[in-house]
Amino acid sequence: MAATGEAPAESRHYIVQRVRQALAHDERTNELDLTVSVNGDKVFITGTVPTTERRDAIAVVAREVLPDHEVHNHVTLYETAEPTDGEDLS
Amino acid sequence: MIRIAAVADIHFGADSSGMLRAQFEDLTHHADMLLVAGDLTKCGGPDEGAVVARELTGLPVPVVAVLGNHDYHSDEQATVRSHLEDAGVTVLEGETTTVDVDGARVGIAGTKGFGGGFAGACGTDFGEPEMKAFVRHTMALAEGLEHGLRSLEGCDVRVALLHYSPVRDTLAGERAEIFPFLGSYLLAEAVDHAGADLALHGHAHAGVEKGVTPGGVLVRNVAQPVIKHAYNVYTFEPSRALHADAHA
């Protein structure tokens, strides 16, 4: 018998992949480059995306996949300032 | 001085319009051309192709691009390419183009490239048809890249424009398990055999910017999450450009 509380490691393994697959295939996100980790009933997502719409959609998609988990969306936005100087490769 | 602006993985969707327009309109102050190393769209839909084409149309410098894996996802890559070309973007896949900068000639050979891994830990065209097709796709694209770079001999600067990485160096930070899906040594081999001054790529969002091929050609990963700017700029003095000789 597994101890009550935290899910067995194997379950977490498949949960992570279920979220990653959803984030890749859901047309609201189509994000393949996010890191998903599961700790008990908490899901943590990190990475960088271009728009606030897509950052917010990541949490929506993850919550649809795992309604019983607490989703922590730590995804940040692309930085798009012009560069201040170039690199001389001569 | 030749000034090359480069970026990859801008991943435009319907929600991206205007995200980089102001920075691109200001390009002439920073660069003589803009090279886009693939993944211009989120998932390669025609609507996304139209949005990114509008972002790139009428810029003050020539724009040259290769497509990335995301631009193929909807099986509408030809439509995405058409949108870009209608906007004046030169799109390369096994092809080359040149840009003149104050009398100096910059030659660009472009391909999406593909995966397979790196020397000592890579796929082989052996076994199931699917495995052979995977590796042979990379081999064919690498062959086209080498041919393209050779055709540009005599240019003051030669650039290999890729989406997938030619080296492991710029993948540092990515999980080693996925390296075979991020690039292939066959691309570096093509660059080293033909010679080039710079190889640009994207695709590795968690990687690092700087690397070098086994033959000594500089590699830069310009995925936007890596460079953390609208684009990076690389400069060459034409008279001092490396002109790497062909090894073969």
Side-chain angles (χ1 to χ4, degrees):
Chain A
M1 285 288 287
T4 54
E6 193 164 326
E10 189 180 41
S11 299
R12 287 202 299 275
H13 186 87
Y14 293 123
I15 289 169
V16 164
Q17 219 30 48
R18 208 143 48 88
V19 176
R20 293 189 74 239
Q21 291 292 329
L23 292 170
H25 288 290
D26 193 299
E27 63 183 20
R28 291 169 290 181
T29 51
N30 289 125
E31 293 292 342
L32 282 70
D33 295 284
L34 300 172
T35 300
V36 178
S37 59
V38 174
N39 190 341
D41 62 355
K42 294 183 174 65
V43 179
F44 300 89
I45 307 173
T46 58
T48 312
V49 298
T51 66
T52 52
E53 288 86 345
R54 260 176 270 176
R55 181 185 61 189
D56 296 345
I58 286 164
V60 172
V61 171
R63 289 189 181 111
E64 286 175 4
V65 175
L66 298 175
D68 299 331
H69 284 65
E70 194 179 298
V71 174
H72 294 261
N73 184 5
H74 294 164
V75 172
T76 57
L77 295 177
Y78 278 17
E79 296 169 51
T80 58
E82 292 174 27
T84 51
D85 54 5
E87 182 189 6
D88 181 10
L89 300 182
S90 297
Chain B
M1 180 187 285
I2 296 165
R3 304 170 303 166
I4 299 171
V7 66
D9 301 277
I10 56 178
H11 290 287
F12 264 55
D15 54 353
S16 304
S17 188
M19 189 176 85
L20 295 170
R21 183 68 193 181
Q23 296 91 317
F24 287 166
E25 285 179 345
D26 199 35
L27 264 165
T28 192
H29 295 114
H30 299 277
D32 304 301
M33 68 196 77
L34 172 65
L35 307 187
V36 187
D39 277 3
L40 290 84
T41 65
K42 182 163 71 82
C43 59
D47 52 337
E48 295 179 354
V51 172
V52 75
R54 276 199 300 277
E55 200 84 354
L56 293 169
T57 194
L59 296 186
V61 298
V63 183
V64 181
V66 296
L67 300 185
N69 58 310
H70 278 247
D71 305 317
Y72 278 71
H73 181 64
S74 299
D75 296 323
E76 293 278 2
Q77 57 272 17
T79 309
V80 171
R81 179 175 178 144
S82 289
H83 280 306
L84 291 167
E85 289 176 337
D86 290 347
V89 177
T90 301
V91 182
L92 304 177
E93 180 47 73
E95 299 144 308
T96 64
T97 191
T98 59
V99 177
D100 289 327
V101 180
D102 297 331
R105 209 153 65 100
V106 178
I108 304 148
T111 177
K112 171 180 66 63
F114 199 46
F118 298 91
C122 60
T124 301
D125 60 330
F126 184 92
E128 304 92 322
E130 292 82 0
M131 189 65 199
K132 286 185 285 208
F134 180 90
V135 177
R136 288 175 186 174
H137 181 53
T138 310
M139 293 168 75
L141 299 184
E143 189 178 333
L145 175 66
E146 181 173 341
H147 183 264
L149 285 169
R150 286 190 191 281
S151 77
L152 295 170
E153 281 176 14
C155 287
D156 295 280
V157 171
R158 283 185 295 167
V159 179
L161 181 61
L162 313 166
H163 181 59
Y164 285 76
S165 177
V167 294
R168 292 174 54 112
D169 301 16
T170 46
L171 306 184
E174 297 279 1
R175 289 177 60 162
E177 298 96 314
I178 66 167
F179 280 12
F181 304 107
L182 296 177
S184 167
Y185 82 96
L186 293 167
L187 300 168
E189 189 175 48
V191 168
D192 284 340
H193 280 177
D197 299 292
L198 174 65
L200 296 167
H201 75 88
H203 195 44
H205 292 206
V208 298
E209 183 194 3
K210 297 179 181 180
V212 63
T213 67
V217 175
L218 297 174
V219 178
R220 294 292 181 265
N221 172 10
V222 292
Q224 202 175 40
V226 171
I227 63 173
K228 294 182 168 57
H229 287 92
Y231 48 82
N232 266 7
V233 176
Y234 305 104
T235 64
F236 292 90
E237 293 291 345
S239 58
R240 288 163 44 220
L242 300 177
H243 289 303
D245 292 323
H247 293 173

